[in-house]
């Protein structure tokens, strides 16, 4: 039942918001979505340690408000690197991480991390943190590193989605009661 509810929410979200890399993305022009609004560009750099500029079309209230990081958001690459492993970020933010393995390389083809004096790539758990996922979120079904990277490259950034959906809390309210209470 929970799985069905999750996918129902996911379908509802995708009917409210669509994302692309470009405002003239071919698949959107060919689609029959018929958006009657202009896209809003949101760059994850304002909400996370990654540059990931994407255009969002939708009818959510407040979509075009400024991106302001929440207190719990990690904004620097160094903050997501494994602790006590002698890993140092070469950059404050990483470029867009896509499904291509070379997307990890930064300006002039540098890897984003120095470990023990040598360039190193981002580890899967570090990429998960960049996207706002819990550690080992993509560690399922014996997926190798490349497949996990590809999953993350297709993912929506959790801090960006939180930013997009945050205004809805002003429109919907709920009452939290403790389980087993008699409602009083």
């Amino acid at each position: 039942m929970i799985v069905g509810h999750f996918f129902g929410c996911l379908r509802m979200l995708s009917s409210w918001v669509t994302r692309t890399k470009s405002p003239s993305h071919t698949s959107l022009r060919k689609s029959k979505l018929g958006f009657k609004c202009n896209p809003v560009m949101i760059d994850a750099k304002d909400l996370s340690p990654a540059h990931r500029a994407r255009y969002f079309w939708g009818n959510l209230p407040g979509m075009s408000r400024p991106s302001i990081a929440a207190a719990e958001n990690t904004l620097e690459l160094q903050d997501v690197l494994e602790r006590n492993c002698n890993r140092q970020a070469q950059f404050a933010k990483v470029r867009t991480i896509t499904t291509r393995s070379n997307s990890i390389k930064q300006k002039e083809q540098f890897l984003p991390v120095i470990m023990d004096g040598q360039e190193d790539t981002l580890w899967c758990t570090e990429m998960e943190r960049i996207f706002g996922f819990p550690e080992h979120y993509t560690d399922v079904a014996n997926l190798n590193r490349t497949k996990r990277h590809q999953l993350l490259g297709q993912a929506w950034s959790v801090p960006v989605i939180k930013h997009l959906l945050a205004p809805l809390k002003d429109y919907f309210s709920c009452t939290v009661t403790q389980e087993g209470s008699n409602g009083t």
Side-chain angles (χ1 to χ4, degrees):
M1 183 62 163
I2 290 175
V3 172
H5 180 68
F6 169 78
F7 286 109
C9 289
L10 190 59
R11 274 191 297 279
M12 187 169 53
L13 173 62
S14 47
S15 69
W16 282 342
V17 179
T18 298
R19 135 195 110 142
T20 66
K21 297 177 202 173
S22 158
S24 62
H25 198 265
T26 307
S27 63
L28 265 182
R29 281 187 280 142
K30 291 180 179 177
S31 75
K32 298 182 188 304
L33 293 174
F35 287 116
K36 294 184 170 122
C37 62
N38 291 323
V40 173
M41 197 278 288
I42 298 175
D43 192 338
K45 75 177 174 58
D46 300 324
L47 305 162
S48 76
H51 286 282
R52 193 175 175 94
R54 294 292 184 262
Y55 288 91
F56 293 85
W57 278 261
N59 60 357
L60 293 173
M63 277 185 68
S64 59
R65 74 189 193 292
S67 301
I68 300 171
E72 73 272 5
N73 286 19
T74 304
L75 297 177
E76 299 287 326
L77 178 59
Q78 185 64 47
D79 297 332
V80 300
L81 298 180
E82 290 294 333
R83 308 255 187 259
N84 304 318
C85 290
N86 197 24
R87 294 173 64 72
Q88 293 296 315
Q90 293 200 78
F91 307 96
K93 308 273 185 187
V94 292
R95 286 187 347 183
T96 300
I97 297 170
T98 66
T99 56
R100 295 176 44 194
S101 60
N102 69 349
S103 70
I104 292 293
K105 292 186 177 177
Q106 302 300 298
K107 300 173 189 167
E108 300 172 21
Q109 302 302 311
F110 291 113
L111 290 173
V113 177
I114 295 285
M115 181 173 170
D116 297 327
Q118 299 207 12
E119 286 188 357
D120 195 15
T121 189
L122 289 168
W123 295 348
C124 290
T125 53
E126 295 166 343
M127 284 192 286
E128 290 166 340
R129 287 186 209 123
I130 288 170
F131 278 89
F133 294 113
E135 285 185 23
H136 305 291
Y137 187 76
T138 60
D139 192 6
V140 294
N142 294 320
L143 290 178
N144 63 31
R145 184 193 179 297
T146 303
K147 293 293 183 189
R148 290 174 71 183
H149 179 121
Q150 289 173 344
L151 277 175
L152 289 166
Q154 294 175 8
W156 290 37
S157 174
V158 172
V160 171
I161 297 306
K162 284 172 68 174
H163 168 76
L164 286 171
L165 297 179
L168 293 180
K169 69 181 179 227
D170 298 332
Y171 293 89
F172 300 99
S173 64
C174 66
T175 305
V176 178
T177 59
Q178 287 192 350
E179 211 171 300
S181 68
N182 61 7
T184 59

